[in-house]
Amino acid sequence: RDQPRSRGLGDVYKRQIYNRKKKKEIIIMIEQDTIKLLRECDAGIKMGVSAIEESLDYVKSDKLKKYLEDSYKENDEVKHELQKLLDDYHDDGKEPNAMAKGMSWIKTNVKLSVNESDNAVADLITDGCNMGIKTLNKYLNQYEAADEKSKDLAKKLIKLEEKLRDNIKEFL
């Protein structure tokens, strides 16, 4: 009576199946969060690169133009890294929200056609950087089960946004 009773092989087998299902659910959750985070990074890069392209024609300062071109190149390098990760998951990525992209295009072109100054460009790009930083941090928190490579890539994008924002402060 004082000896523990065996639960039998049936219970052991059930536990093994349960544990396998749990592991599979965790892997699926990690993969889903990873893909979602990568998609948001993809949309963010596309928005940022588009804003830089639209603004370059209005820039007068060589220094500001260099900051924007350097940021464009750095974003392009991250885009290739991102595309490789998306390919690993057989995913096409994500286009930016059409409404957000349209509003950004209108704001950029209207504001810069009225005020073609480096100050106006720096103001628009700073707003875009701040929006990108905020959004990427939100998605990092939301998709916390994403794998470390994807999180690192999102953090790298945030650093690029912060760097550009800080570099162009003098033009505000």
Side-chain angles (χ1 to χ4, degrees):
R1 287 187 191 193
D2 290 53
Q3 301 218 352
R5 293 181 42 191
S6 169
R7 292 192 228 174
L9 290 177
D11 288 341
V12 172
Y13 179 70
K14 288 176 190 172
R15 260 194 325 275
Q16 288 173 342
I17 289 175
Y18 175 78
N19 288 338
R20 264 190 251 133
K21 283 182 180 178
K22 275 295 188 199
K23 286 178 185 175
K24 195 172 190 176
E25 287 173 12
I26 290 169
I27 290 169
I28 289 170
M29 192 170 121
I30 290 170
E31 187 172 308
Q32 287 174 343
D33 275 12
T34 298
I35 291 169
K36 288 175 183 176
L37 181 59
L38 290 173
R39 285 177 181 165
E40 296 303 336
C41 289
D42 189 37
I45 286 178
K46 289 174 181 173
M47 281 290 288
V49 165
S50 174
I52 291 171
E53 285 175 337
E54 291 169 11
S55 301
L56 277 172
D57 290 339
Y58 297 97
V59 176
K60 294 174 182 34
S61 164
D62 290 337
K63 188 174 183 182
L64 178 58
K65 185 171 272 201
K66 178 154 178 36
Y67 284 143
L68 294 174
E69 288 171 343
D70 288 349
S71 181
Y72 183 93
K73 287 175 192 164
E74 290 169 331
N75 273 281
D76 198 45
E77 290 169 13
V78 174
K79 172 68 177 150
H80 290 295
E81 192 178 333
L82 171 65
Q83 192 58 53
K84 185 181 177 304
L85 290 174
L86 284 167
D87 290 346
D88 290 346
Y89 287 100
H90 309 288
D91 195 90
D92 296 329
K94 179 181 173 183
E95 289 299 317
N97 177 293
M99 181 65 85
K101 190 166 180 165
M103 294 302 288
S104 172
W105 185 88
I106 290 169
K107 182 179 177 183
T108 301
N109 287 290
V110 168
K111 189 168 185 173
L112 293 179
S113 65
V114 172
N115 181 5
E116 292 187 23
S117 69
D118 289 343
N119 174 272
V121 171
D123 188 50
L124 283 168
I125 296 295
T126 298
D127 286 348
C129 289
N130 287 332
M131 180 64 75
I133 292 164
K134 177 182 164 188
T135 303
L136 287 171
N137 275 300
K138 178 182 110 177
Y139 287 124
L140 265 175
N141 293 332
Q142 185 175 342
Y143 302 126
E144 61 186 343
D147 71 7
E148 290 306 310
K149 278 185 185 178
S150 302
K151 288 179 183 179
D152 289 346
L153 190 125
K155 290 172 187 172
K156 190 175 189 177
L157 277 172
I158 291 167
K159 294 252 185 271
L160 288 177
E161 296 282 350
E162 291 170 339
K163 178 182 168 187
L164 178 58
R165 180 196 61 198
D166 293 345
N167 283 344
I168 64 175
K169 279 181 183 177
E170 68 184 87
F171 296 97
L172 293 172

